[in-house]
Amino acid sequence: QVQLVESGGGLVQTGGSLRLSCTANGRSLSAYSMGWFCQAPGKEREFVAAISRSGGSTYYGDSVKGRFTISRDNAKNTVYLQMNSLKPEDTAVYYCAATKAYSGIYYPTPYDNWGQGTQVTVSS
């Protein structure tokens, strides 16, 4: 198991940007595919973005394509989610997740390591 910690959430106006970070203290993330998911009150957890272990492949949910970018810096042991052109509909808790699976990483099922989440609020 790996303990994931998200940071970078906050309150931003419509059209603004945030960059979320995900790290694991004392354990390398290089062997893991990584994903970001979000969950708004009363709604199911939703796929946002995922990235392969080397960073060579990325995947995005339809609602964030063209606005969000997932990246990783394995030397810094950090995964990022750059969030641009934010909308009120993006308001949610954002969770970082890790899996050693190679496939299906745009679904929550393969992930067995989850952070505690960071709140993103986009005001109208």
Side-chain angles (χ1 to χ4, degrees):
Q1 297 293 304
V2 55
Q3 293 293 126
L4 303 175
V5 180
E6 304 97 334
S7 63
L11 175 64
V12 65
Q13 293 181 333
T14 298
S17 298
L18 288 172
R19 188 177 73 162
L20 307 184
S21 298
C22 176
T23 64
N25 293 329
R27 190 175 179 91
S28 175
L29 294 177
S30 297
Y32 296 87
S33 298
M34 303 294 296
W36 288 96
F37 294 79
C38 67
Q39 188 166 24
K43 299 183 67 176
E44 295 184 351
R45 193 161 296 188
E46 181 178 336
F47 171 71
V48 176
I51 189 167
S52 61
R53 292 188 296 175
S54 67
S57 299
T58 58
Y59 309 88
Y60 296 95
D62 289 341
S63 65
V64 306
K65 288 180 180 177
R67 299 189 297 122
F68 292 6
T69 302
I70 188 171
S71 62
R72 69 191 303 163
D73 187 340
N74 285 341
K76 295 182 178 180
N77 204 39
T78 303
V79 179
Y80 304 97
L81 184 69
Q82 179 66 47
M83 310 167 71
N84 297 328
S85 302
L86 283 162
K87 306 174 181 179
E89 307 94 275
D90 298 319
T91 296
V93 177
Y94 283 74
Y95 296 91
C96 177
T99 178
K100 289 191 175 182
Y102 295 158
S103 61
I105 60 175
Y106 33 78
Y107 299 108
T109 306
Y111 296 91
D112 52 6
N113 297 275
W114 295 84
Q116 294 300 304
T118 184
Q119 177 71 47
V120 172
T121 303
V122 184
S123 62
S124 301

